[in-house]
Amino acid sequence: MSSSTISEAPGGAWAVMRRGIALSDEFLRGITATVLLGLVAVAGRVALPVALQRALDGATRDGAGTGAVVWPVVGAGVAVVTTAAAGYWVSVRLYRASEAGLAATRTSAFRHIHDLPLVVQEAEPRGALVARVTSDVDTVSSFLQYKGLMLALSALQMLTTTLVMAYYDLRLTLLVWAFQLPLIVFLNRSQNSLSRLFGTLQDRLAGLLGVTGETLNGGETIRVYGARGYAVARADRAVADVHAAQTRCQWGTTAAQTVAELVPSLITVALVLVGARLTGDGLTVGDLTAFLFLAVLFVTPTRMGVTAFTEAQRALSGWRRLLGVLAVQAQDPVDDAARTVLGAEPAAISFAGVRFAYPGGHEVLHGVSVVMEPGQRVAVVGETGSGKTTFAKLACGLLRPSGGQVLIGGVPVDRIDQGSLRRRVVIVPQEGFLFDTTIAENIRFGVPDADDGRIRRAFRELGLDEWLESLPLGLRTPVGVQGGSLSAGERQLVALARAHAADPAVLLLDEATSAVDPATEDRIQRALEKLTTGRTAVVVAHRLVSAQSADTVLVFDRGRIVEAGPHAELLARDGTYAALHDAWITRPQYG
């Protein structure tokens, strides 16, 4: 499967983790109290073996009273209750802090993705960006909630336990560490390889998400062409890639877990054999019992630590991928008061020596220079691949030129306040995308403050009120997933009404190429006439009927404007435009 085009964030594990936590203040909110509670839990666990040792030695000591046993047992009970209560609140606080921090991180990542240059979004494999704000963040969530601070507290527990064990017997303590050190070395050497394995797994999961989405969205095409076998084969390959990556990860984690299970068993056996020989040589039965309990406390973090270590590698992979997308510079990283705000009046659009090339591709536009006057209706025509759609995207600021300058109202696009640019310059794409809600809510998506009266007025001014009233629920009519309940032409009508309700100063229209019935096509043409009146309008005309009524026609050929002028004048020249027109007349489906 294709991998993401956005690289992962570089740096070591601790550097990546620090940068990840720094994404939101919520991660560290109340961390001091949480750490203190964790320390109480650790102290309670360590105090329990000490209390048991006191009770056991008190019970076997000649002449000892009842209190020598009762009070240590009471102390042990208090330690158990305290440890349980502190552990509970540590878990609760970790859950709250991590979820709040991750919610803020998801929000900032989602917004950042929408601010990325369009070429970056389009170059990224399907599902990859979705995975970075869903499954990648989920891996971080699981680690932070259940293993993050616990891993740090486990290290503290091992240190504390070591000190207490050394108090009882330094020889046995050194014996425990003689078995523990090889495991630490093994885990340290395993870190990089596991991190790479989990990074590959996350990439494969993103690929599977993309294939699944494409298969569902293209269900109709798959059925029409009988391509079920091809679609299933693609899905099978994606599933196989994920399975292979998961298997490699499992081999790595299983090896670590096996060693982690073996080491505690060896420690217990060694302590019993050696400790039994040392009993009586300054080591009481109570001391040995306490030491065995302490050894269990010592190795428990090791067992849990291996699981936490594995999840840490998965979380680090998720953080690297998330930080990688956040490191990509937004199209306009600064949106301050120094930027120009576009007014409501029609604005001129100027291209000055504009060149453009998609990442990794050849140059699409070559030194294009043209001025479209305020209020002028401009049609852009040309063969497929001539650069006309790219020209339209540059004209509305969706793309930025590789060279030269695009100006709207005399201001370079990169110096215009993005909020006003999106409000005053509206593009209607070939396929008017609709969300799975009502017609009214689809209009409000482009005009959030529009009430029903304003929406109905938009339809009425475009001459679409009769069509709207013919729908079963009018504005409340559900459009279905991606507008599937409406025809292609009807989706275009809603898109035109959405653009009109926004009342833009500049309108860019990439004319739909889908065949529509005559009645709907007539509605679209009449709506276009009214929509473009009084505005600077640029129409990418796939059907030259739109060019006939334009003030100026720009004819593109291989990334250059080769002709410009009114429809009648260009026909009289008998050049490229005339040839396009003749082809359109003889083949009405041309475009």
Side-chain angles (χ1 to χ4, degrees):
M1 303 301 299
S2 60
S3 60
S4 173
T5 58
I6 299 177
S7 61
E8 296 184 358
W14 287 111
V16 170
M17 194 168 293
R18 285 197 302 270
R19 289 163 58 193
I21 292 176
L23 292 176
S24 173
D25 294 337
E26 297 289 344
F27 284 125
L28 297 179
R29 182 166 294 177
I31 190 64
T32 301
T34 304
V35 170
L36 290 176
L37 284 170
L39 293 176
V40 170
V42 169
R45 294 189 191 103
V46 175
L48 180 59
V50 176
L52 291 177
Q53 177 263 320
R54 297 288 185 185
L56 186 59
D57 282 350
T60 57
R61 190 169 59 248
D62 293 337
T66 305
V69 177
V70 172
W71 288 115
V73 170
V74 170
V78 171
V80 169
V81 173
T82 302
T83 299
Y88 169 80
W89 282 109
V90 167
S91 297
V92 169
R93 293 177 66 86
L94 280 177
Y95 177 83
R96 290 175 177 173
S98 62
E99 279 303 305
L102 290 168
T105 301
R106 285 185 197 272
T107 300
S108 61
F110 183 79
R111 292 176 178 174
H112 184 79
I113 286 174
H114 277 276
D115 290 335
L116 292 178
L118 189 63
V119 290
V120 174
Q121 293 185 9
E122 292 179 342
E124 192 72 357
R126 292 182 181 271
L129 290 176
V130 176
R132 289 184 190 246
V133 294
T134 54
S135 59
D136 287 345
V137 176
D138 286 340
T139 62
V140 177
S141 173
S142 176
F143 172 70
L144 289 180
Q145 288 175 19
Y146 305 111
K147 298 295 187 298
L149 183 59
M150 296 302 182
L151 195 59
L153 291 176
S154 294
L156 178 62
Q157 180 172 312
M158 290 179 65
L159 175 61
T160 305
T161 306
T162 298
L163 295 176
V164 178
M165 287 192 302
Y167 169 78
Y168 281 109
D169 194 284
L170 181 59
R171 296 164 295 181
L172 293 180
T173 303
L174 293 175
L175 178 65
V176 170
W177 271 100
F179 285 95
Q180 185 70 11
L181 282 175
L183 178 59
I184 294 175
V185 173
F186 172 77
L187 291 178
N188 184 58
R189 293 184 176 180
S190 300
Q191 176 177 315
N192 292 334
S193 60
L194 278 176
S195 181
R196 287 193 298 271
L197 289 174
F198 280 112
T200 300
L201 175 59
Q202 293 300 108
D203 192 40
R204 297 294 183 266
L205 287 170
L208 177 59
L209 182 62
V211 170
T212 303
E214 281 186 333
T215 303
L216 293 175
N217 290 335
E220 182 178 349
T221 302
I222 291 171
R223 289 175 182 268
V224 168
Y225 286 94
R228 182 178 181 276
Y230 172 76
V232 169
R234 282 192 74 211
D236 287 347
R237 286 196 298 272
V239 171
D241 286 342
V242 171
H243 174 69
Q246 285 179 325
T247 301
R248 287 192 291 270
C249 289
Q250 192 60 43
W251 275 110
T253 55
T254 300
Q257 289 169 351
T258 300
V259 174
E261 290 294 328
L262 178 63
V263 169
S265 300
L266 293 175
I267 289 176
T268 302
V269 172
L271 287 178
V272 171
L273 292 175
V274 178
R277 296 178 63 86
L278 294 177
T279 302
D281 185 17
L283 189 70
T284 68
V285 172
D287 292 339
L288 180 58
T289 303
F291 202 100
L292 289 172
F293 273 99
L294 289 168
V296 171
L297 283 177
F298 180 85
V299 298
T300 297
T302 302
R303 290 173 174 171
M304 187 179 71
V306 172
T307 303
F309 174 80
T310 301
E311 291 193 17
Q313 301 314 308
R314 188 188 291 266
L316 283 170
S317 174
W319 249 329
R320 289 181 194 278
R321 289 166 55 82
L322 184 62
L323 290 169
V325 74
L326 292 175
V328 179
Q329 188 177 43
Q331 184 153 286
D332 292 278
V334 181
D335 193 9
D336 53 28
R339 295 185 179 275
T340 301
V341 176
L342 290 179
E345 66 281 353
I349 304 176
S350 303
F351 278 59
V354 171
R355 297 179 176 276
F356 183 81
Y358 289 96
H362 62 277
E363 195 170 75
V364 178
L365 296 182
H366 316 289
V368 173
S369 296
V370 68
V371 177
M372 291 163 278
E373 300 294 342
Q376 190 177 43
R377 187 182 302 173
V378 178
V380 182
V381 303
E383 296 277 5
T384 300
S386 60
K388 55 186 184 295
T389 298
T390 300
F391 174 81
K393 290 180 179 179
L394 285 163
C396 68
L398 284 180
L399 298 178
R400 296 299 161 83
S402 307
Q405 217 172 30
V406 178
L407 302 94
I408 299 179
V411 181
V413 170
D414 59 357
R415 298 308 305 166
I416 298 175
D417 172 77
Q418 289 300 291
S420 71
L421 179 64
R422 295 280 71 87
R423 287 191 302 271
R424 307 312 305 157
V425 180
V426 170
I427 184 170
V428 181
Q430 281 188 28
E431 297 293 334
F433 185 89
L434 300 183
F435 295 87
D436 186 13
T437 181
T438 64
I439 287 178
E441 289 306 310
N442 269 285
I443 301 298
R444 289 193 183 95
F445 180 79
V447 194
D449 59 347
D451 56 21
D452 285 359
R454 179 174 175 181
I455 295 173
R456 287 195 177 91
R457 186 167 62 252
F459 278 96
R460 185 172 61 253
E461 290 175 352
L462 293 180
L464 301 176
D465 48 337
E466 182 180 342
W467 169 76
L468 180 64
E469 295 305 320
S470 71
L471 298 175
L473 298 175
L475 288 177
R476 299 291 175 267
T477 302
V479 303
V481 178
Q482 296 185 353
S485 298
L486 303 179
S487 69
E490 289 173 330
R491 291 195 294 271
Q492 194 71 3
L493 295 179
V494 177
L496 294 176
R498 180 162 58 196
H500 186 59
D503 192 24
V506 177
L507 178 71
L508 282 298
L509 176 71
D510 196 352
E511 190 179 60
T513 58
S514 302
V516 297
D517 61 88
T520 303
E521 182 171 12
D522 181 59
R523 288 192 182 102
I524 291 175
Q525 290 304 322
R526 286 189 285 110
L528 282 174
E529 286 293 324
K530 296 175 181 179
L531 179 61
T532 56
T533 299
R535 297 184 172 104
T536 305
V538 180
V539 180
V540 178
H542 300 281
R543 293 170 294 181
L544 298 194
V545 65
S546 301
Q548 295 175 3
S549 59
D551 299 317
T552 298
V553 180
L554 302 180
V555 185
F556 274 78
D557 184 33
R558 299 180 183 179
R560 292 182 171 84
I561 298 177
V562 294
E563 291 179 349
H567 166 74
E569 179 183 318
L570 294 180
L571 279 183
R573 292 184 190 176
D574 198 25
T576 303
Y577 179 75
L580 290 172
H581 189 268
D582 289 343
W584 176 66
I585 292 296
T586 56
R587 292 181 294 153
Q589 76 277 14
Y590 171 80

